[in-house]
Amino acid sequence: MILHCHHDRGTPARTSTQHVTLSVDGIPVTVPAGTSVMRAAAEAGIDIPKLCATEQLEAFGSCRLCVVQVKNRRGYPASCTTLVEEGMEVTTENDDLFRLRRGVMELYISDHPLDCLICPANGNCELQDQAGRVGLREIRYADGHNHLQETSDTSNPYFTYDPSKCIVCSRCVRACNDIQGTYALTTTARGFDTRIAPAGGEDFMSSECVSCGACVAACPTASLLEKSVIQMGQPQRSITTTCAYCGVGCSLNVEMQGEKVVRMVPDLNGGANHGHACVKGRFAWGYATHAERITTPMIRSSIREPWREVSWEEAIAHTASEFRRLQEKYGAESIGSITSSRCSNEETYLVQKLTRAAFGVNNVDTCARVCHSPTGYGLKQTIGESAGTQDFDSVMQADVILIIGANPTDAHPVFASRMKQRVRQGAKVIVADPRKIDLVETAHVRATHHLKLLPGTNVALINALAYVVVTEGLVDEDYVARRCEPEAFNKWREFIADPRHSPEATASITGVPADDMRAAARLYATGGNAAIYYGLGVTEHSQGSTMVMGIANLAMATGNVGRPGVGINPLRGQNNVQGSCDMGSFPHELPGYRHVADDETRHAFESVWGVQLSDEPGLRIPNMFDAAIAGSFKALYVQGEDIAQSDPNTEHVTHALESLECLVVQDIFLNETAKFAHVFLPGSSFLEKDGTFTNSERRISRIRTVMRPLAGYADWEVTQMLSNALGYPMHYKHPSEIMDEIALLTPTFQGVSYAKLDQLGSIQWPCNAASPEGMPVMHIEEFVRGKGRFMLTEYVATEERVNRRFPLLLTTGRILTQYNVGAQTRRTANNAWHQEDLIEIHPVDAEDRGIRDGDWVGVKSRAGETVLRAKIHERMQPGVVYTTFHWPGSGANVVTTENSDWATNCPEYKVTAVQLSRVEQPSAWQKHFAEFSEEQIKLLNQESAGAPV
Amino acid sequence: MNIDHLIHMANQIGAYFETEPDRALASAGIAEHLARFWEKRMRRSLYAYLDSAQDGALAPLVREALTQHRDQVLGKIQ
């Protein structure tokens, strides 16, 4: 049960063109056909008692508390399962109903602890409320057989299951099934022995439970309850904010006592999540007050020296002085910045403004460089806008869901649940992925096709699908004629129809049987509304941009862009990837994806910013590294990013960082990059931020301050102080003023303001005069660029190829319970699920090398070598191995190479040729890493022991 | 700047544009891409390599694009 005041009408809302009028206790009410009597009564202002019903779940009709009487009908039907009828006359209160309900409640309470005063749910318990509602005053039943002595399951780090308080209403089971779609809970036995039990294990922790918390939110008693509530008591107030983990951007209610967070619950009104969350957003927020937070600025002259704690004034003055000194010595272009997708729109906007206006250069880039930069390029070229075409809800109208290079159940779990809901309604799934991800086969989901391609062959696959569409007459000719450039289409049609792109010709490249490709293409083209969802398995390749264009080609050729249920949907890895790109974080683009060489745009910014801007594209992150090593790039301001862990070829990255004369890191922890820094500026966690994030569906949502910045200043204020110290004045008093400037200068944000966000809850850009409340689905009448443009997409094999020395292909990714570089989740109890990065290997490959499950395995590539523990798994295909990169000491990126996308330099994380062998000790890099990290922690602690300056 | 990286990146761009049947368009496409996305140090370094006697590592189409569109690629940084 959750605190946030929400009037639960008992059963889900219905939509219908037909309406029904009935009377409830003499009050007339008109509702859509298909509505329950319970909900109709609620609409009339009458809340019928209930326990097993909630509007988050379909009616179940088990508790019998919601009985009513209907004129001219026999008996006492349950109002939750009885649908309204025209002219129906419903009575919700009379003596018979009173006696019935009180009798039902008496039976429930006869097997429930009478410890309300010391129960952790006291004051926020539906059972308690309903007992009062039905006037229960005594329990007539003497002590007898009961469940009161059953012991609690405390195995989950975040919540307990106390069966003695369970009333077996099945809300938890139904929440797990219908909302989360994991089917991890079940009701065991029958009659009095019926209990709720986790499936596939002895307790919650060893079961199939993914700890999303849906069952906890659904529980009407204290049976399933957050441990934080048990420890701290009931929260007293709530602030709505936005999750800082993945690109779904769930709206969350932070429930608090004072400035202390008691728990985080999903917002039922959240446009992206509709009241659902995952193990990260729901529970893994404790890092915000972790003991390792650094809250005082620090400086040092070299990375081999102890840190010196300083005042904010000294840290800012020192940074400004160093940056100006280096610009004077090495030239204006010798410095730059990196923004982060973990930071807000306002923060990233300000960093790019600082870089362009105060530094006087365009050397600003963002972490989207290493994830979705090909999306920006590819979609801009084809449809004219660097963003996904749909809202998340659109998936509920999809008939065919094509998932390419994405693993939503791990990386975008809340959206995956929504996707699974649609699949259970009958939508077909096609998965294109080297691994057997969960959506290939999981509870009540079975993909029609799993195109198990070899890493690095995406473009050959998408071309083969398009070949089938073109050569089998499946092109939506009318759509293409109306919506696309004819010349480009004809050129593409001729190109793609060449037999070299056929499934038969490319099967040996992709490893996918030709018949499977043909069947999948036919299903996508003819199965109704077809929607493509893709992730970093598309973009992080040497042909990432080509693949994005190939996806757009396929969608346009089949008429699958421009209405609900279809579209091209990049699933962004981090919470504000979309926003950080929108805000002009790329070195060649000002906010709104407009090139720096575009005079009109640049002049608009110049007139508001009062400074002349460069029309030259700046350095991208990999270029910054190369320039640093070459000696022409000397200082870098990094806000909220950990490039030393996240970027490929770690030794190359750290060489670049060591080459800098002034590295400034603004973060909440001493992350891997900060170990190479000369200035540390303490940052704010999302609980301390005030601003906005923009999720994968272009939804701008507010982040609201839950607690004051621990270091005294919000991140945007720090950037502003630095700008002022550099002589470029900024005088924002509140982040809303930054958003006002963004709206002034960015056509797609023209109508966005904090007032409107507070009014509407969230807004999907573009938000302007043409769409004042935003636009859930784009490109409806025409593409943003006018006519859609087909692009030629020749398959070019990556240069990262297997040979006798490196015979396996390594691909990297994420896992549900950890997030990206792990700086946040590694400092939470999520480690209970994932304590180390593992190398997953197919049994055949393992046997060939004498590797057993749990063995230490050396992973060697052309770039470097690391050691990981083996996990043998059949979801891998022979020849392909997989690991995650959540733990810095794992060194996953020691192995990945600098190969990158031809158009954007997005690294090819997904294809690295490696060899595996059993080993007995860590790699040389890992030993060096351990020594260096230990030294850096010592240097940090040396300072911590001393007095602040 | 590491010239080997730059040559490799330029040749990757060239490989994408090789598919374009109209060679003039392909050449212009490469030039436009370099002008729009490459920082001036990178463009200068590539031209320094092109102008040296050792331009053999550049793909023919890339070399052609650089030669034909020098003004566009280098712009005012020449």
Side-chain angles (χ1 to χ4, degrees):
Chain A
M1 189 175 171
I2 58 179
L3 170 74
H4 213 63
C5 295
H6 174 77
H7 183 207
D8 189 326
R9 292 168 171 80
T11 62
R14 297 292 183 228
T15 51
S16 174
T17 52
Q18 293 185 321
H19 283 73
V20 173
T21 298
L22 66 157
S23 79
V24 182
D25 294 337
I27 300 171
V29 58
T30 301
V31 293
T35 300
S36 72
V37 167
M38 176 181 278
R39 189 172 181 101
E43 299 288 355
I46 297 165
D47 287 331
I48 298 170
K50 59 181 169 52
L51 278 174
C52 72
T54 169
E55 68 181 14
Q56 303 309 304
L57 298 165
E58 291 299 327
F60 193 54
S62 78
C63 77
R64 306 303 298 170
L65 207 62
C66 71
V67 288
V68 292
Q69 281 193 300
V70 179
K71 188 176 179 183
N72 298 327
R73 285 200 193 173
R74 294 171 58 193
Y76 304 91
S79 62
C80 64
T81 52
T82 303
L83 302 186
V84 295
E85 291 176 16
E86 187 65 35
M88 186 181 252
E89 294 181 30
V90 178
T91 299
T92 70
E93 300 287 348
N94 61 30
D95 290 347
D96 288 345
L97 292 168
F98 178 78
R99 275 194 299 275
L100 277 170
R101 287 179 189 147
R102 199 168 63 173
V104 168
M105 184 56 82
E106 190 178 358
L107 284 168
Y108 274 119
I109 300 300
S110 70
D111 191 13
H112 192 83
L114 296 175
D115 61 351
C116 288
L117 284 179
I118 55 169
C119 175
N122 186 19
N124 191 15
C125 171
E126 287 185 51
L127 185 65
Q128 192 180 41
D129 294 345
Q130 297 299 330
R133 169 78 169 78
V134 303
L136 184 69
R137 297 291 177 261
E138 61 174 345
I139 308 296
R140 291 167 295 165
Y141 305 106
D143 287 348
H145 193 38
N146 59 49
H147 301 90
L148 301 180
Q149 302 307 315
E150 291 185 3
T151 53
S152 291
D153 174 356
T154 58
S155 60
N156 184 290
Y158 296 118
F159 62 85
T160 62
Y161 167 52
D162 181 352
S164 75
K165 290 180 159 57
C166 176
I167 59 170
V168 201
C169 64
S170 293
R171 272 164 62 162
C172 55
V173 178
R174 289 179 286 141
C176 189
N177 296 354
D178 299 349
I179 298 174
Q180 167 57 28
T182 295
Y183 293 78
L185 297 178
T186 188
T187 47
T188 60
R190 298 175 68 82
F192 184 80
D193 294 327
T194 302
R195 307 311 289 155
I196 302 299
E202 291 295 306
D203 53 24
F204 268 82
M205 200 57 194
S206 59
S207 75
E208 293 159 9
C209 169
V210 293
S211 195
C212 68
C215 58
V216 181
C219 182
T221 75
S223 185
L224 284 158
L225 195 63
E226 295 91 347
K227 287 182 173 174
S228 57
V229 174
I230 295 172
Q231 287 157 8
M232 301 168 70
Q234 287 293 329
Q236 294 306 307
R237 64 191 186 102
S238 175
I239 294 176
T240 301
T241 192
T242 305
C243 181
Y245 283 119
C246 79
V248 177
C250 293
S251 181
L252 299 169
N253 293 325
V254 188
E255 297 190 347
M256 309 155 66
Q257 295 170 344
E259 275 191 303
K260 224 177 199 182
V261 179
V262 176
R263 66 179 168 186
M264 202 89 80
V265 295
D267 176 14
L268 296 170
N269 299 316
N273 57 318
H274 301 294
H276 192 37
C278 77
V279 63
K280 294 189 286 283
R282 178 77 152 86
F283 296 115
W285 41 266
Y287 70 88
T289 50
H290 193 276
E292 289 173 5
R293 280 286 300 266
I294 298 175
T295 55
T296 306
M298 305 184 297
I299 62 176
R300 59 181 175 179
S301 53
S302 95
I303 66 168
R304 300 295 175 186
E305 290 180 12
W307 286 99
R308 186 166 66 90
E309 284 190 354
V310 295
S311 65
W312 274 108
E313 291 72 22
E314 184 175 349
I316 295 295
H318 174 79
T319 302
S321 158
E322 279 296 277
F323 278 19
R324 286 298 186 227
R325 178 183 72 81
L326 292 166
Q327 282 191 301
E328 212 165 288
K329 186 172 177 187
Y330 297 103
E333 310 286 345
S334 65
I335 70 173
S337 306
I338 296 177
T339 75
S340 171
S341 299
R342 287 189 287 178
C343 292
S344 70
N345 287 323
E346 293 76 3
E347 289 158 358
T348 51
Y349 176 86
L350 228 52
V351 172
Q352 64 87 30
K353 180 176 178 179
L354 169 90
T355 310
R356 300 183 201 281
F359 294 0
V361 297
N362 285 323
N363 295 332
V364 58
D365 207 359
T366 185
C367 55
R369 173 66 51 213
V370 300
C371 68
H372 265 290
S373 51
T375 290
Y377 180 87
L379 295 185
K380 189 89 173 172
Q381 293 289 320
T382 48
I383 60 177
E385 192 58 273
S386 302
T389 60
Q390 312 295 117
D391 58 346
F392 286 144
D393 286 351
S394 166
V395 77
M396 297 311 285
Q397 295 181 60
D399 301 305
V400 178
I401 299 169
L402 171 53
I403 304 163
I404 311 175
N407 186 11
T409 53
D410 277 52
H412 304 88
V414 170
F415 176 64
S417 291
R418 194 111 174 100
M419 196 180 255
K420 286 191 284 186
Q421 287 170 15
R422 181 58 183 161
V423 175
R424 291 198 299 274
Q425 291 174 353
K428 300 275 194 302
V429 175
I430 304 166
V431 172
D433 201 288
R435 294 191 308 148
K436 187 181 175 186
I437 61 170
D438 282 357
L439 286 171
V440 172
E441 190 174 8
T442 188
H444 297 271
V445 172
R446 184 186 289 266
T448 305
H449 302 287
H450 178 200
L451 310 177
K452 206 172 187 175
L453 76 171
L454 282 165
T457 65
N458 283 337
V459 173
L461 177 75
I462 206 77
N463 284 348
L465 300 181
Y467 173 91
V468 175
V469 168
V470 166
T471 59
E472 293 190 7
L474 305 179
V475 170
D476 185 338
E477 301 285 356
D478 176 56
Y479 178 94
V480 170
R482 279 188 297 109
R483 302 283 308 262
C484 303
E485 288 181 359
E487 194 183 333
F489 172 70
N490 290 333
K491 189 189 275 187
W492 176 78
R493 187 201 286 261
E494 191 181 336
F495 159 81
I496 207 73
D498 189 281
R500 73 181 185 277
H501 300 306
S502 71
E504 291 71 20
T506 54
S508 61
I509 298 169
T510 62
V512 180
D515 287 349
D516 287 357
M517 286 192 267
R518 283 191 178 274
R522 289 169 192 148
L523 176 59
Y524 175 80
T526 65
N529 284 342
I532 296 176
Y533 293 88
Y534 72 87
L536 305 184
V538 160
T539 54
E540 290 176 344
H541 287 275
S542 62
Q543 282 202 288
S545 292
T546 312
M547 180 60 181
V548 173
M549 293 189 284
I551 285 171
N553 289 341
L554 184 68
M556 290 191 294
T558 53
N560 278 310
V561 184
R563 65 181 185 278
V566 299
I568 306 162
N569 303 277
L571 296 172
R572 311 291 186 153
Q574 301 198 71
N575 50 318
N576 203 34
V577 172
Q578 181 70 57
S580 66
C581 297
D582 299 342
M583 292 299 102
S585 290
F586 286 138
H588 65 284
E589 283 174 337
L590 288 157
Y593 304 100
R594 292 163 296 166
H595 201 275
V596 293
D598 175 39
D599 290 340
E600 193 182 335
T601 301
R602 206 178 57 259
H603 292 157
F605 280 87
E606 286 174 340
S607 80
V608 173
W609 291 358
V611 66
Q612 193 174 350
L613 300 173
S614 167
D615 61 356
E616 277 287 330
L619 293 167
R620 301 159 169 174
I621 293 173
N623 314 145
M624 291 181 191
F625 295 154
D626 284 349
I629 291 168
S632 66
F633 190 73
K634 291 292 182 181
L636 181 60
Y637 170 37
V638 183
Q639 185 185 67
E641 259 309 286
D642 195 359
I643 46 182
Q645 186 180 340
S646 64
D647 285 36
N649 194 349
T650 304
E651 291 184 273
H652 178 71
V653 175
T654 54
H655 181 195
L657 297 180
E658 285 171 329
S659 304
L660 296 171
E661 288 191 25
C662 184
L663 173 61
V664 181
V665 171
Q666 186 175 1
D667 210 287
I668 59 176
F669 299 112
L670 190 82
N671 63 18
E672 299 312 309
T673 307
K675 291 172 184 169
F676 295 87
H678 307 91
V679 178
F680 185 89
L681 303 174
S684 298
S685 75
F686 83 113
L687 294 176
E688 297 143 66
K689 288 184 190 297
D690 193 346
T692 57
F693 287 148
T694 306
N695 75 353
S696 296
E697 47 168 4
R698 298 170 276 103
R699 186 183 299 278
I700 309 159
S701 301
R702 287 278 281 116
I703 327 156
R704 295 183 177 88
T705 306
V706 168
M707 55 194 192
R708 286 164 291 182
L710 299 189
Y713 287 106
D715 290 332
W716 66 269
E717 291 177 299
V718 176
T719 305
Q720 178 163 286
M721 288 192 292
L722 180 56
S723 187
N724 289 332
L726 284 162
Y728 179 76
M730 290 186 187
H731 300 296
Y732 305 101
K733 295 181 191 67
H734 189 267
S736 62
E737 295 178 5
I738 304 173
M739 178 55 81
D740 292 343
E741 184 175 307
I742 294 165
L744 177 70
L745 288 166
T746 313
T748 46
F749 277 65
Q750 199 175 56
V752 179
S753 68
Y754 279 25
K756 189 181 274 189
L757 284 166
D758 288 341
Q759 179 199 339
L760 299 177
S762 59
I763 299 169
Q764 289 174 269
W765 67 259
C767 175
N768 46 32
S771 51
E773 296 195 352
M775 190 182 284
V777 177
M778 293 183 76
H779 314 286
I780 289 178
E781 298 297 330
E782 62 172 6
F783 290 101
V784 168
R785 70 182 304 278
K787 297 283 188 188
R789 180 163 63 150
F790 283 81
M791 299 293 287
L792 304 185
T793 54
E794 186 70 57
Y795 167 66
V796 179
T798 173
E799 291 172 22
E800 184 65 14
R801 293 175 194 174
V802 293
N803 58 18
R804 290 183 64 182
R805 227 175 122 214
F806 302 109
L808 302 169
L809 285 178
L810 168 72
T811 184
T812 64
R814 300 172 186 188
I815 201 162
L816 172 67
T817 51
Q818 297 287 352
Y819 175 69
N820 220 42
V821 293
Q824 295 142 289
T825 47
R826 278 188 281 110
R827 293 179 172 95
T828 70
N830 277 26
N831 292 348
W833 287 276
H834 187 78
Q835 296 167 17
E836 61 182 327
D837 296 315
L838 303 168
I839 183 91
E840 289 187 27
I841 179 170
H842 188 273
V844 170
D845 291 327
E847 190 175 341
D848 284 350
R849 291 162 179 78
I851 295 169
R852 293 162 305 187
D853 207 60
D855 279 351
W856 286 112
V857 172
V859 184
K860 189 172 186 179
S861 75
R862 295 178 178 97
E865 183 173 14
T866 193
V867 172
L868 298 162
R869 207 181 286 278
K871 181 179 179 183
I872 298 172
H873 210 302
E874 286 192 340
R875 73 175 169 182
M876 303 306 303
Q877 57 174 297
V880 180
V881 295
Y882 171 84
T883 192
T884 50
F885 59 98
H886 303 303
W887 297 80
S890 302
N893 283 321
V894 172
V895 181
T896 54
T897 71
E898 290 164 80
N899 280 352
S900 67
D901 173 46
W902 67 269
T904 65
N905 278 150
C906 179
E908 193 173 39
Y909 291 107
K910 302 297 183 183
V911 189
T912 307
V914 297
Q915 177 59 295
L916 266 54
S917 60
R918 280 180 64 188
V919 295
E920 301 296 329
Q921 58 179 329
S923 71
W925 178 85
Q926 283 170 311
K927 289 176 186 169
H928 170 75
F929 171 81
E931 287 165 12
F932 179 71
S933 292
E934 191 181 344
E935 179 194 357
Q936 289 301 315
I937 298 301
K938 272 185 192 160
L939 293 172
L940 176 69
N941 291 335
Q942 277 177 29
E943 168 48 38
S944 298
V949 174
Chain B
M1 301 292 274
N2 183 324
I3 190 61
D4 293 334
H5 280 180
L6 297 176
I7 292 167
H8 180 248
M9 285 159 54
N11 285 344
Q12 277 187 300
I13 295 164
Y16 172 76
F17 285 98
E18 281 285 357
T19 314
E20 171 55 55
D22 182 334
R23 202 163 173 88
L25 271 182
S27 175
I30 294 169
E32 187 192 2
H33 191 93
L34 292 172
R36 287 180 71 82
F37 298 106
W38 279 35
E39 199 259 1
K40 55 191 174 190
R41 268 167 281 193
M42 300 161 69
R43 280 143 51 207
R44 274 194 191 121
S45 297
L46 197 60
Y47 270 98
Y49 176 77
L50 178 76
D51 294 341
S52 72
Q54 313 159 346
D55 66 341
L58 283 169
L61 182 60
V62 176
R63 200 164 56 243
E64 196 176 304
L66 290 173
T67 307
Q68 288 176 355
H69 300 281
R70 177 183 286 264
D71 287 348
Q72 184 192 350
V73 176
L74 283 176
K76 61 179 181 291
I77 66 167
Q78 290 187 78

